[in-house]
Amino acid sequence: MTSDPAAGNRALLGWVTANTVVVVLSLVPLLWLVSLSFKTPESIGDGRLVPTDPTLANYRGIFTQSLFTRALVNSLGIALISTLLAVGIGGLAAYAIARLRFPGRRALVGLALLIAMFPQISLISPLFNLWRQLGIFDTWIGLIVPYLTFSLPLAIYTLATFFREIPPDLEKAAAMDGATPAQTFVRVIAPLAAPGTVTTAILVFIFCWNDFLFAISLTSTESSRTAPAAIAFFTGASQFAQPIGSIAAAAVVITIPIIVFVLLFQRRIVAGLTSGAVKG
Amino acid sequence: MADIVLDHVSKRFADGRVVVDDVTLTIADGEFLILVGPSGCGKSTTLNMIAGLEDITAGELRIGGKVVNRLPPRDRDIAMVFQSYALYPHMTVRQNMGFALSLAKLPKIEIARKVEEAARILGLTEHLERRPAALSGGQRQRVAMGRAIVRSPQAFLMDEPLSNLDAKLRVQTRTQISRLQNRLGTTTVYVTHDQTEAMTLGDRVAVMRAGRIQQIAPPGELYAAPVNIFVAGFIGSPAMNFLPVTLTADGRALRTPLGEWRLDGPQPDDGRQPDVGRLLERLRRAAPPSGERPLVCGIRPEHFEDAALVPADRSGARCTVRAEVVESLGSDKYVHSSWAGPVALGTDLHADLPIDPPLPGSGGTQLVARLDAASRATKGEPVRLWVDTTRLHLFDPVSGANLTAPRV
């Protein structure tokens, strides 16, 4: 902070402007989407932010179609299972990477990073053929597998960072207290890594929940089609009407779980649970 | 309770570094043994090997007569207090202290009884439901101690448990640990780099340097009869003074940077003073006279005195130094002096010893003398010192061995 009030005001003005720009840029499209979802098909193109005669017809419409409700169930199930697996497997792998000095450790980390950077689109046609031959095309497992492939590196990276922050003395103390390595992990390490685990879970969940590429390519029916893919199949009331209202309503609906997730766990994420472990 | 025996134990890391080199050590049942040495001397590694946190490369470790080389820590029945305390931050004090007991599947009532008993001894009763983050440094230290004592293990291992406390608390806690160990009578191995802790706490002290044990002895013996320059310089505060000297061809005088000191002056017959003759006798036995030879002479600060306060006829050497700094502690006065010229210790020894390097602008050799408070020594003035030549230690400049160690 500066002692010159004029300069202080200028700085404040600068910050306010910058923040406003960022907020407007990120919120206006979202507000527009919400606004569209409450508009009737006739007023969709009127260019107003506040709908003239707000209606819930779009929401009622999408929830009466099994296309969307069934897709929501698929989305939720696939994303949750992928998240659980990614955090579980990733947690064990990350713990090993953070604590053990085994040959090929660097190679493993490098490989994980390589996979995360791999262009997903290049995998689509091979996977499409492979999945059809394996008989897992258009199934939950057919989506969970590629989601794990791309979310595990992320999970391993984030979790390893959190595990590294846990003082190794705690593991030694647990060993001296008579804990087996498994007991140490479950009773000491895992509770301390909880904020990291939750953060990782949210990131992985968002990745799976938002995915469109794999969902549109590796599904063909309601049995496994997820919400983002299902939205692409929305049709208007007639052949010539655009389903813009329904799409907007569906988009709003699939944003809600993300918001709930983040709000629910944000305190947990921020909480510094390891404070007071050593020294002081 | 049990004794701990290290039988030619060594530790070599994967990169080939030998950090503990052929250590043989017997810690009696109920004994309080201190492992002391500069950082990197292998004392913590030795402790970790006893704990089972590090593998033993060679040799045998026995606890209570049983070889435990291959046993995991949980099967050795020993508790450890860590320098960082390593308290579980997500558990309350009660859960921290009871963790080992709950892993051992003791009944809940039993756990509660033992934890409360330990908390009472350590004055932690009103903090039992708090988390470590809500405790002060001293309280955390006591929780770490409590976690060790609730189990009534065969032995305690302590890895610099006081180094994170402030000076005042450290002295208090030191006394508490000493009292606690007396009361419980549990075999204890205590690692520290602080020679004051070593001298005040232990039944016996093992001084380590570069992976090897230099000397194992009770604190008093370590101080009075150090086996080599390293132990002599490490134990004692302020540290022993070292001067490069030459033993004359007749073996009866030392040529020092402060003048020639006769070692065979007339002796007072009060019988209380150790005889200079004995010093020469020991020196002759260890190193038969063979012309002039260079030696390192070690003098404890308290074996100096202001020459004005010593009867003129008392034997001993006299010399004059310039008092660069005079510290008056009320009970004593410390006179610091230095001069340019050859130094007694090589740099590698200097690095390991708690001796300050020469001050910039001052000479190469430093000298600290502890004088009586009645001394008139003033800063910047020359001061005449008397040296008790019967208490000198003479070391071989190459091997560092003490050629004159008194038998205790």
Short mmCIF file of all heavy atoms in Angstrom, two decimals, chain B residues 18 33 47 69 81 95 110 144 156 186 220-221 236 258 261 298-299 302 360:
data_model
loop_
_atom_site.label_atom_id
_atom_site.label_comp_id
_atom_site.label_asym_id
_atom_site.label_seq_id
_atom_site.Cartn_x
_atom_site.Cartn_y
_atom_site.Cartn_z
N VAL B 18 29.70 -44.98 4.25
CA VAL B 18 29.58 -45.70 5.53
C VAL B 18 29.31 -44.66 6.59
O VAL B 18 30.15 -43.82 6.87
CB VAL B 18 30.87 -46.48 5.84
CG1 VAL B 18 30.76 -47.16 7.19
CG2 VAL B 18 31.13 -47.49 4.75
N LEU B 33 21.95 -43.88 28.41
CA LEU B 33 23.14 -43.68 27.60
C LEU B 33 22.93 -42.55 26.61
O LEU B 33 21.89 -42.46 25.96
CB LEU B 33 23.51 -44.95 26.83
CG LEU B 33 24.79 -44.74 26.02
CD1 LEU B 33 25.94 -45.50 26.64
CD2 LEU B 33 24.60 -45.13 24.57
N LEU B 47 20.67 -44.65 16.21
CA LEU B 47 19.40 -44.71 16.94
C LEU B 47 18.31 -45.34 16.08
O LEU B 47 17.54 -46.19 16.53
CB LEU B 47 18.99 -43.31 17.38
CG LEU B 47 17.88 -43.27 18.43
CD1 LEU B 47 18.44 -43.64 19.79
CD2 LEU B 47 17.24 -41.90 18.50
N ASN B 69 17.82 -57.86 14.51
CA ASN B 69 18.21 -57.26 13.22
C ASN B 69 17.08 -57.20 12.22
O ASN B 69 16.89 -56.23 11.52
CB ASN B 69 19.34 -58.07 12.58
CG ASN B 69 20.68 -57.76 13.22
OD1 ASN B 69 20.72 -57.57 14.42
ND2 ASN B 69 21.73 -57.70 12.42
N VAL B 81 11.00 -40.97 20.90
CA VAL B 81 10.59 -39.57 20.91
C VAL B 81 11.37 -38.87 19.81
O VAL B 81 12.59 -38.93 19.79
CB VAL B 81 10.87 -38.91 22.28
CG1 VAL B 81 10.46 -37.45 22.26
CG2 VAL B 81 10.14 -39.66 23.38
N GLN B 95 -5.89 -39.34 22.01
CA GLN B 95 -5.76 -40.33 20.92
C GLN B 95 -4.29 -40.52 20.52
O GLN B 95 -3.86 -41.63 20.22
CB GLN B 95 -6.56 -39.87 19.69
CG GLN B 95 -8.06 -39.97 19.90
CD GLN B 95 -8.83 -39.19 18.86
OE1 GLN B 95 -8.34 -38.21 18.29
NE2 GLN B 95 -10.06 -39.61 18.61
N GLU B 110 -8.80 -49.88 29.79
CA GLU B 110 -7.38 -50.00 30.09
C GLU B 110 -6.60 -48.85 29.45
O GLU B 110 -5.74 -48.22 30.07
CB GLU B 110 -6.88 -51.35 29.56
CG GLU B 110 -5.46 -51.67 29.89
CD GLU B 110 -5.31 -52.24 31.28
OE1 GLU B 110 -6.21 -52.02 32.12
OE2 GLU B 110 -4.30 -52.86 31.54
N ALA B 144 4.70 -35.94 23.25
CA ALA B 144 5.59 -36.91 22.60
C ALA B 144 6.21 -37.85 23.63
O ALA B 144 6.33 -39.06 23.39
CB ALA B 144 6.69 -36.17 21.83
N PHE B 156 13.47 -46.68 25.82
CA PHE B 156 13.13 -45.41 25.17
C PHE B 156 14.28 -45.01 24.27
O PHE B 156 15.44 -45.11 24.66
CB PHE B 156 12.98 -44.27 26.19
CG PHE B 156 11.84 -44.41 27.12
CD1 PHE B 156 12.00 -44.16 28.47
CD2 PHE B 156 10.59 -44.76 26.66
CE1 PHE B 156 10.94 -44.27 29.34
CE2 PHE B 156 9.52 -44.87 27.52
CZ PHE B 156 9.70 -44.63 28.87
N THR B 186 13.73 -47.13 32.98
CA THR B 186 13.72 -47.79 31.67
C THR B 186 15.02 -47.48 30.93
O THR B 186 15.47 -46.34 30.94
CB THR B 186 12.54 -47.28 30.83
OG1 THR B 186 11.35 -47.40 31.62
CG2 THR B 186 12.38 -48.07 29.56
N GLY B 220 32.03 -37.47 33.91
CA GLY B 220 33.20 -36.95 34.62
C GLY B 220 34.49 -37.45 34.02
O GLY B 220 35.45 -36.70 33.82
N GLU B 221 34.51 -38.73 33.70
CA GLU B 221 35.72 -39.33 33.13
C GLU B 221 36.02 -38.76 31.75
O GLU B 221 37.15 -38.49 31.38
CB GLU B 221 35.54 -40.84 33.06
CG GLU B 221 36.81 -41.57 32.62
CD GLU B 221 36.58 -43.06 32.49
OE1 GLU B 221 35.76 -43.60 33.27
OE2 GLU B 221 37.20 -43.67 31.60
N GLY B 236 32.94 -30.08 27.14
CA GLY B 236 33.38 -28.94 27.92
C GLY B 236 32.99 -27.65 27.24
O GLY B 236 33.07 -27.54 26.02
N LEU B 258 53.47 -19.10 24.03
CA LEU B 258 53.44 -18.17 25.15
C LEU B 258 54.70 -18.28 26.00
O LEU B 258 54.72 -17.91 27.16
CB LEU B 258 52.21 -18.46 26.03
CG LEU B 258 50.86 -18.30 25.32
CD1 LEU B 258 49.74 -18.83 26.18
CD2 LEU B 258 50.61 -16.84 24.96
N TRP B 261 57.53 -23.49 29.02
CA TRP B 261 56.92 -23.91 30.28
C TRP B 261 57.69 -25.11 30.80
O TRP B 261 57.74 -26.16 30.16
CB TRP B 261 55.44 -24.30 30.07
CG TRP B 261 54.57 -23.16 29.65
CD1 TRP B 261 54.89 -21.84 29.59
CD2 TRP B 261 53.20 -23.26 29.22
NE1 TRP B 261 53.84 -21.08 29.15
CE2 TRP B 261 52.77 -21.94 28.92
CE3 TRP B 261 52.30 -24.31 29.08
CZ2 TRP B 261 51.48 -21.66 28.48
CZ3 TRP B 261 51.03 -24.04 28.64
CH2 TRP B 261 50.61 -22.72 28.34
N GLY B 298 46.67 -29.32 25.35
CA GLY B 298 45.30 -28.93 25.66
C GLY B 298 45.19 -28.44 27.09
O GLY B 298 45.67 -29.10 28.01
N ILE B 299 44.56 -27.27 27.25
CA ILE B 299 44.39 -26.70 28.59
C ILE B 299 42.93 -26.27 28.75
O ILE B 299 42.42 -25.51 27.93
CB ILE B 299 45.27 -25.44 28.81
CG1 ILE B 299 46.67 -25.68 28.25
CG2 ILE B 299 45.32 -25.08 30.28
CD1 ILE B 299 47.38 -24.40 27.91
N GLU B 302 39.54 -23.44 32.92
CA GLU B 302 39.60 -23.25 34.37
C GLU B 302 40.97 -23.61 34.95
O GLU B 302 41.19 -23.43 36.13
CB GLU B 302 38.51 -24.07 35.07
CG GLU B 302 38.62 -25.58 34.95
CD GLU B 302 37.86 -26.12 33.74
OE1 GLU B 302 37.73 -25.36 32.76
OE2 GLU B 302 37.41 -27.27 33.81
N PRO B 360 37.50 -12.46 12.71
CA PRO B 360 38.21 -11.71 11.67
C PRO B 360 39.02 -10.60 12.32
O PRO B 360 38.58 -9.96 13.27
CB PRO B 360 37.09 -11.14 10.79
CG PRO B 360 35.82 -11.35 11.54
CD PRO B 360 36.04 -12.39 12.56
#
